[in-house]
Amino acid sequence: MTQAIRISEFGNPSVLQMVEIDLPDPGPGEIRVRHAAIGVNFIDTYHRSGLYPLPLPAGIGLEAAGVVDAVGSDVTHLKPGDRIAYGGGPIGAYSQAANLPANRVALIPDGVTDEQAATLMLKGMTVRFLFKDCFAVKPGDTILFHAAAGGVGQIACQWAKDMGVTLIGTAGSDEKCRIAKEMGAAHVVNYRRENIAESVRSLTEGKGVPVVYDGVGADTFEASLDCLQPRGLMVSFGNASGPVTGVNLGLLAAKGSLYVTRPTLMHYIAKDEDLAANTADVFDAVKRGAVTSSIGQRYALADARQAHEDLEARKTIGASILLP
C-alpha cells in the first residue's frame, strides 16, 4: 500500500485527504517511481479548488523527483535505480509512489539533488516555454514579470539575467524585492506602495515593455496592460489572485492594439520531442549554474493542507516541497 493525497470534492485546503492506495505494477510503457521530493505549485490549488476541474475522486500534484522502482514491458531507456523527475503530470504526484509514462520523465543529471529537481521541473519548464516559445525574448529586451520572488519568478529572474534580458519584477514586500534583486532582477517594484504602470513607464523612459508575464491574474491584469508598448503581448499564465473575468476587448484597442494570451505549459510540451527539448534546456541552465533552486519551505506529505494555505496566503518565498 502507498500513502497519497486525494480529493473527493472541490474546495479549500481541508478537502486534501491522506489515504492508502493500492499501486499496481507498472504496465507497458510505464515506470513506478518512489518519490523523494514533491513540488508544490499554484496549479495544484486550481485543481483542488475546481478552478481547473478534475474528474473526482482525484489525485493531485504534477511535479516530483525520485528513483525508478520498477519498469513495465517495452521500457528500455530506463532501469530500476535511475533518478528521474517530471513536471507535466500525470496528476497524482502528492504520493509516496506513482506509475508514470516512461516517455514523460527526464533523467536527473549528476550534481542536481532530488529536492532541486522536484522544484525545477514544472517551474523551470514554465519559464522556458514563456521565454522561448510563448514570446521569444532576446538579449537587450526589457520585460515585466510579476511575483518575481515566487518559485517561478526567481527562476525567471535568473534565466533573464543569463540571457542578457532586463527583467523588471514586482513583489509585495521589501524583503521579497530584495530576494528578486538577488536572483537577477534589474529592477523591482513594490506593488504595495508603488504604482506598477507608472514605475515601468519611468524605468523604460515612457516606452513600456514588449511583453508582460503575469501569473497573478485579476489583481494585476489592467496594470499589466498599462505597462505594454503598442502591439505588446500580455501573457496571463496564472491566477494567484483569482481568474481574469469580464474582459472588455475594447481595452486592447484603446491601450495600443495589444495582444493577450492565456497559455498553459501542457499545450507547449504535449509532444514528446517538445518535452525533451524543454527539459534539456532546463537542466542545461542548471548544470551551467545559470539557474538554481531556492527552496523556502519544506512540508511533510501529510501537511499538504498547510502547504496550500501558506501558498494561497502568499506567505511563501521561493519554492515549496513535500517530503514523503
Side-chain angles (χ1 to χ4, degrees), residues 127-143 163 165 210-211 213 233 235 268:
V127 173
R128 193 273 188 191
F129 102 84
L130 290 175
F131 281 6
K132 296 196 175 186
D133 296 329
C134 195
F135 180 96
V137 296
K138 59 186 183 301
D141 280 348
T142 298
I143 66 175
M163 294 174 67
V165 171
V211 62
Y213 295 105
L233 175 64
V235 183
Y268 282 79

Side-chain angles (χ1 to χ4, degrees), residues 63-306:
E63 175 183 49
V67 177
V68 176
D69 189 53
V71 300
S73 60
D74 302 329
V75 177
T76 58
H77 67 291
L78 295 170
K79 63 184 184 302
D82 284 342
R83 297 170 59 235
I84 66 92
Y86 62 98
I91 294 282
Y94 286 22
S95 59
Q96 292 177 325
N99 289 337
L100 305 166
N103 62 328
R104 304 299 290 175
V105 305
L107 284 167
I108 302 173
D110 293 340
V112 179
T113 69
D114 293 335
E115 288 193 358
Q116 289 175 321
T119 63
L120 285 167
M121 289 296 289
L122 188 56
K123 298 174 186 68
M125 286 195 294
T126 295
V127 173
R128 193 273 188 191
F129 102 84
L130 290 175
F131 281 6
K132 296 196 175 186
D133 296 329
C134 195
F135 180 96
V137 296
K138 59 186 183 301
D141 280 348
T142 298
I143 66 175
L144 177 63
F145 205 101
H146 288 296
V152 175
Q154 289 192 22
I155 293 174
C157 289
Q158 296 174 76
W159 212 326
K161 184 177 181 180
D162 180 65
M163 294 174 67
V165 171
T166 298
L167 183 144
I168 303 171
T170 68
S173 70
D174 290 340
E175 173 66 7
K176 289 187 175 182
C177 288
R178 180 189 64 78
I179 290 169
K181 287 276 285 186
E182 289 180 352
M183 290 293 104
H187 311 280
V188 187
V189 178
N190 185 332
Y191 63 79
R192 296 196 186 278
R193 65 164 188 259
E194 300 174 76
N195 181 285
I196 294 172
E198 289 178 2
S199 298
V200 169
R201 293 288 174 181
S202 176
L203 290 167
T204 58
E205 299 180 341
K207 293 183 295 185
V209 294
V211 62
V212 175
Y213 295 105
D214 189 343
V216 176
D219 286 355
T220 51
F221 182 73
E222 282 212 42
S224 295
L225 298 182
D226 288 336
C227 294
L228 285 167
Q229 299 171 0
R231 297 174 61 186
L233 175 64
M234 160 66 167
V235 183
S236 178
F237 70 95
N239 312 283
S241 67
V244 176
T245 59
V247 176
N248 175 6
L249 292 180
L251 280 176
L252 305 182
K255 293 179 184 293
S257 296
L258 304 178
Y259 296 86
V260 176
T261 183
R262 182 60 178 88
T264 69
L265 170 65
M266 306 315 164
H267 291 140
Y268 282 79
I269 59 169
K271 297 179 180 178
D272 290 349
E273 57 267 33
D274 292 333
L275 174 66
N278 190 311
T279 57
D281 281 351
V282 170
F283 281 129
D284 174 69
V286 174
K287 287 187 289 185
R288 291 189 293 104
V291 169
T292 60
S293 175
S294 173
I295 300 171
Q297 299 76 217
R298 292 174 173 83
Y299 305 86
L301 178 61
D303 294 328
R305 291 183 189 177
Q306 187 65 54

